[in-house]
Amino acid sequence: MLLRPFNFHTPNSLESAVQAYGKLRDVKLQAGGTFLLNSLKTMKRKGVKTPQHIISLAHIPELRGIEDQGDCVVIKSMTNIDEIYDSPLLTGNLGVLRVAARNISSQLIRNMATLGGNLTCRYTWTEMPAVMVASRARMHFVGVDGKEEIVPAEDFFKNAAKTDKIFTHVSIKKDDGISFVYYRAKKSVHVDIPLLSLCVTTRLVKGKFSQTIVAVNNGVAFAQRDRKLEEFLNGKSPGKTLAETALEHLDAAIYDARGTDYKKYMFRVGIKHILRDLTEKHR
Ligand SMILES: Cc1cc2nc3c(=O)[nH]c(=O)nc-3n(C[C@H](O)[C@H](O)[C@H](O)COP(=O)(O)OP(=O)(O)OC[C@H]3O[C@@H](n4cnc5c(N)ncnc54)[C@H](O)[C@@H]3O)c2cc1C
């Protein structure tokens, strides 16, 4: 299906993108385009007005790449999912990004889809949001006034991932003392989008878990923390019965939200898997 005509803008600096974004009305940003172009077609099919202007972020060097900045790693918004999977800089606690990236869709999508698109597209099932929440990532934006805003990922997703700014990068602190586990369940064998995903980060202090974050993506709401499970895990030692006992300490509202019996069951399977993995890591 042909798209309705629009003006396609290709700024080659962040400054000119910000200027265009501030000046134009009826405008959308394009990153990899894997969701945007499809949603323009859907809008046309439904008879909904499509935007007159698209600003592509593809030719802005400031928005590409992964940088080691000493105590933290910065991942720019136009870095694609395959570049994340391939990056030698994502080690230690940052290795969780590579684990999540490896499982996202197909190679074709991973080559095009960007971290920025994954975090700001406002589809509740994409996987990087839970990873960012569990990694205490900070999300950086630039507004049309040129000012930078920094928002913890947890707050961004609590606010339903709304923004009228350009997302530029995430920064994540390096910390080899933090271990992680990640789990995702497929929705179906045909369309590889996740039914649910879970990401846990924790630190073992004197043989006990501490500062644990359990980030849950239930596909219905934006990524959120299960504080009840975190409270249960903190102070516990890795052990054989931990995974089973933990199931008694879930924030049921998160896992049962608009869920089928299968999905509720898969959440419990997922929790058991990741807590067993976590225990194995610390044996
Ligand atoms: C077939 C298919 C399967 C997929 N499977 C998975 C999966 O298994 N797991 C998973 O996590 N994801 C999956 N995805 C999602 C994919 O990883 C991308 O996140 C998604 O396609 C959007 O990325 P994009 O770069 O193409 O964004 P675009 O389509 O270009 O943009 C999406 C939206 O984000 C906004 N946006 C993009 N960048 C910025 C920015 N820098 N600042 C502000 N707003 C911005 C755009 O305006 C637009 O509204 C899948 C996608 C497809 C098409």
Side-chain angles (χ1 to χ4, degrees):
M1 180 202 279
L2 288 178
L3 296 173
R4 287 216 185 94
F6 54 79
N7 299 304
F8 193 61
H9 305 261
T10 56
N12 56 13
S13 72
L14 184 56
E15 195 187 349
S16 44
V18 167
Q19 274 174 9
Y21 200 38
K23 208 164 61 190
L24 298 167
R25 296 283 154 263
D26 198 15
V27 56
K28 273 269 183 200
L29 296 172
Q30 177 182 312
T34 56
F35 271 171
L36 183 75
L37 298 180
N38 207 29
S39 80
L40 295 182
K41 287 183 188 174
T42 308
M43 286 160 88
K44 184 182 175 193
R45 211 174 292 124
K46 289 184 176 167
V48 180
K49 193 170 163 276
T50 49
Q52 275 185 22
H53 301 278
I54 306 282
I55 300 177
S56 165
L57 303 176
H59 305 283
I60 303 177
E62 299 103 296
L63 295 183
R64 295 206 91 98
I66 302 179
E67 284 172 11
D68 186 335
Q69 296 196 342
D71 64 339
C72 74
V73 167
V74 157
I75 308 169
K76 315 272 183 75
S77 66
M78 286 299 290
T79 306
N80 69 39
I81 302 296
D82 192 60
E83 287 163 341
I84 290 176
Y85 175 60
D86 232 17
S87 174
L89 297 179
L90 301 177
T91 57
N93 60 314
L94 292 147
V96 65
L97 274 87
R98 298 189 59 231
V99 171
R102 184 182 57 203
N103 290 306
I104 288 177
S105 192
S106 62
Q107 188 64 51
L108 294 176
I109 295 292
R110 290 196 290 273
N111 288 345
M112 287 182 75
T114 65
L115 179 68
N118 198 285
L119 294 176
T120 59
C121 63
R122 306 196 69 228
Y123 280 68
T124 50
W125 54 263
T126 60
E127 292 173 70
M128 287 298 179
V131 173
M132 295 298 147
V133 170
S135 304
R136 299 180 197 271
R138 284 151 58 87
M139 297 178 63
H140 298 242
F141 297 83
V142 60
V144 293
D145 54 4
K147 288 197 181 124
E148 188 186 34
E149 188 188 31
I150 305 173
V151 187
E154 186 183 348
D155 295 349
F156 181 67
F157 293 105
K158 248 188 217 157
N159 191 29
K162 285 186 199 141
T163 186
D164 56 1
K165 301 179 169 62
I166 299 180
F167 168 58
T168 55
H169 60 282
V170 282
S171 53
I172 307 177
K173 276 217 167 109
K174 291 196 267 182
D175 189 337
D176 285 342
I178 288 184
S179 52
F180 66 82
V181 275
Y182 183 76
Y183 175 87
R184 88 192 292 257
K186 274 186 185 184
K187 197 160 197 165
S188 84
V189 286
H190 307 294
V191 184
D192 186 23
I193 61 173
L195 178 69
L196 53 93
S197 52
L198 300 160
C199 187
V200 177
T201 58
T202 191
R203 183 191 296 282
L204 208 64
V205 179
K206 293 186 181 154
K208 297 190 189 316
F209 293 125
S210 72
Q211 298 166 31
T212 307
I213 298 184
V214 179
V216 184
N217 183 339
N218 66 5
V220 179
F222 289 97
Q224 56 193 307
R225 286 172 67 174
D226 181 345
R227 290 182 182 270
K228 208 171 151 190
L229 182 54
E230 290 173 5
E231 219 171 275
F232 167 77
L233 292 171
N234 284 329
K236 296 280 181 309
S237 302
K240 270 189 181 162
T241 55
L242 184 74
E244 272 75 17
T245 329
L247 296 180
E248 312 288 315
H249 299 272
L250 305 183
D251 181 346
I254 298 177
Y255 306 94
D256 297 349
R258 284 166 40 202
T260 57
D261 286 347
Y262 174 69
K263 190 168 170 183
K264 290 177 199 170
Y265 171 76
M266 285 308 292
F267 259 126
R268 280 150 183 81
V269 170
I271 298 279
K272 272 202 277 188
H273 270 289
I274 51 172
L275 295 183
R276 279 184 193 147
D277 284 354
L278 201 60
T279 297
E280 283 299 314
K281 278 193 173 183
H282 292 287
R283 237 182 244 281

